[in-house]
């Protein structure tokens, strides 16, 4: 991949332009930039009667079961009543991706992806968790991973 840095003083302070031939390369670049700029922020998650401060980059995956959300981090599993859509909105990051109606994952924490039955995929995360990717999200995940 050929890269080039061009300084354009006519751009606004918060403006960056990236030119790529394919959406896959663009998505990967945005994911890397996003990881280094916004994922260092903390997120307050209410669990029982306390608020836990979790660094966004420590979140591996999250899944809803029986109206409770379990957020898996590098160190712990946090159970909360927060909704998956509320969590995704708070994360607002290219690094995190919804992969089913009830699950999301941090694409930087994927160890490997394996085929499953009926067109689904299984993502094996760096902490050993398995996350099911429904057929509806398979193409989006492949695009984000560049595969």
């Amino acid at each position: 991949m050929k890269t080039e840095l061009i300084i354009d003083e006519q751009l606004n302070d918060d403006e960056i332009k990236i030119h790529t031939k394919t959406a896959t390369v663009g998505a990967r670049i945005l994911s890397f930039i996003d990881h280094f700029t916004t994922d260092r922020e903390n997120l307050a998650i209410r669990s029982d009667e306390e608020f836990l401060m979790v660094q966004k980059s420590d979140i591996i995956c999250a899944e809803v079961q029986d109206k409770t959300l379990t957020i898996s981090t590098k160190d712990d599993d946090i159970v909360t009543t927060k909704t998956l859509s509320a969590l995704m909105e708070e994360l607002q990051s290219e690094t995190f991706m919804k992969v089913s109606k009830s699950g999301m994952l941090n694409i930087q924490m994927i160890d490997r992806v394996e085929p499953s039955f009926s067109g689904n995929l299984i993502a094996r995360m760096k902490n050993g968790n398995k996350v099911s990717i429904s057929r509806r999200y398979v193409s989006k995940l492949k695009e984000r991973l560049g595969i």
Side-chain angles (χ1 to χ4, degrees):
M1 173 187 324
K2 178 183 170 192
T3 58
E4 180 181 2
L5 174 63
I6 299 171
I7 308 299
D8 184 349
E9 294 179 2
Q10 294 178 359
L11 294 175
N12 295 329
D13 287 341
D14 61 349
E15 185 178 6
I16 297 172
K17 292 183 180 180
I18 299 172
H19 301 270
T20 69
K21 186 174 182 176
T22 65
T24 302
V25 172
R28 289 177 64 197
I29 291 169
L30 289 175
S31 176
F32 287 123
I33 290 171
D34 190 56
H35 177 72
F36 288 108
T37 57
T38 60
D39 290 349
R40 302 279 185 240
E41 299 171 12
N42 284 334
L43 185 67
I45 300 173
R46 184 177 182 167
S47 180
D48 295 324
E49 295 300 316
E50 62 185 358
F51 284 91
L52 302 170
M53 298 306 293
V54 176
Q55 199 171 57
K56 289 181 181 182
S57 60
D58 288 345
I59 296 174
I60 296 172
C61 59
E63 187 174 24
V64 176
Q65 284 186 334
D66 300 325
K67 295 186 180 184
T68 58
L69 179 67
T70 302
I71 302 169
S72 297
T73 67
K74 291 180 179 178
D75 302 319
D76 204 3
D77 286 340
I78 302 165
V79 178
T80 181
T81 56
K82 182 185 293 278
T83 65
L84 183 62
S85 59
L87 176 64
M88 290 296 294
E89 188 173 316
E90 286 182 50
L91 292 171
Q92 287 188 348
S93 169
E94 292 292 321
T95 304
F96 298 95
M97 180 179 171
K98 190 169 180 179
V99 292
S100 68
K101 190 167 89 172
S102 61
M104 57 77 69
L105 56 72
N106 179 341
I107 63 173
Q108 301 290 332
M109 295 292 183
I110 296 174
D111 190 38
R112 64 179 179 263
V113 179
E114 304 167 344
S116 183
F117 62 91
S118 68
N120 293 354
L121 294 175
I122 298 290
R124 293 200 183 247
M125 308 306 286
K126 291 184 179 182
N127 70 344
N129 284 11
K130 294 180 188 177
V131 178
S132 179
I133 295 105
S134 69
R135 286 181 308 201
R136 180 177 171 190
Y137 295 93
V138 167
S139 62
K140 291 178 186 174
L141 179 67
K142 285 182 175 181
E143 181 180 319
R144 294 277 286 280
L145 295 176
I147 53 175

